[in-house]
Amino acid sequence: MNLSIFVPIQRLDIAFSQMCLCHRFNHNVAQVSKSVSHTGDGHLYALFAILVWFLDRDNAPMILSLGLSAFLLELPIYWCVKNGLKRARPFEVPSFITPSDRYSLPSGHTAAAVIMACLISAFYPDVSWFVCLWATCIGLSRILLGVHYLTDILAGFMLGYGCFSFVWWLL
């Protein structure tokens, strides 16, 4: 397989990461990015499930089934792709956190945030704008922390959206 077609993509990824991280304000941006990224670590997902269970009894079984099913589909795909491709995390730019694993493609934080944004938007459309903005900020924060490339974020978005869409269609 000729991998030379990926060279321009890798160059774009590196250039975008350098633009985002190689400036004098990168430490200040990283502090905000850490806080944003932390909201995608999973604890808010559990809190959402608890709140739905107690505050929206009518929709809770469907919401929780969809969410759980989407995550059960996403996680093995994420793990297989990440460990199959073994794309190294950015090393050409400063990193402001220690990632939980060695590889970068796809972004698991982004995939999970997109699943949650889709789930919440499907049942509570009035807050769609907010949760979609939040999921986008999660992805961008991962770039601004120096642990993902732009294409990792795009792949995470596609993975999360694809898994949610499939489960939504199935159920």
Side-chain angles (χ1 to χ4, degrees):
M1 178 178 195
N2 185 359
L3 296 178
S4 63
I5 61 169
F6 294 110
V7 171
I9 295 170
Q10 183 69 19
R11 285 187 187 137
L12 174 67
D13 272 342
I14 293 168
F16 186 78
S17 291
Q18 288 174 336
M19 179 185 73
C20 291
L21 289 162
C22 296
H23 56 80
R24 64 185 180 146
F25 303 111
N26 63 1
H27 290 282
N28 298 341
V29 171
Q31 291 306 312
V32 173
S33 295
K34 281 181 192 177
S35 297
V36 171
S37 181
H38 185 59
T39 67
D41 288 347
H43 56 281
L44 291 180
Y45 307 158
L47 178 61
F48 172 74
I50 292 167
L51 288 173
V52 164
W53 184 255
F54 287 108
L55 300 177
D56 190 0
R57 289 282 189 176
D58 293 338
N59 291 315
M62 181 58 103
I63 293 171
L64 298 177
S65 294
L66 275 167
L68 186 59
S69 297
F71 279 111
L72 287 174
L73 177 62
E74 179 264 339
L75 284 170
I77 295 170
Y78 159 83
W79 189 87
C80 288
V81 171
K82 185 167 264 203
N83 290 293
L85 293 177
K86 297 182 178 181
R87 183 183 194 187
R89 291 197 181 265
F91 60 87
E92 307 86 357
V93 293
S95 178
F96 295 96
I97 61 171
T98 303
S100 59
D101 58 32
R102 295 176 23 196
Y103 306 121
S104 71
L105 180 71
S107 167
H109 274 78
T110 304
V114 168
I115 287 172
M116 288 304 297
C118 290
L119 181 65
I120 293 168
S121 294
F123 289 90
Y124 309 107
D126 291 345
V127 296
S128 291
W129 68 271
F130 177 77
V131 294
C132 290
L133 177 63
W134 166 77
T136 301
C137 288
I138 293 283
L140 290 174
S141 75
R142 306 300 288 170
I143 296 169
L144 295 171
L145 290 170
V147 294
H148 281 290
Y149 293 111
L150 178 60
T151 53
D152 301 338
I153 303 309
L154 296 174
F157 174 87
M158 290 186 300
L159 176 60
Y161 185 77
C163 288
F164 180 81
S165 297
F166 180 75
V167 169
W168 178 262
W169 172 79
L170 202 61
L171 296 178

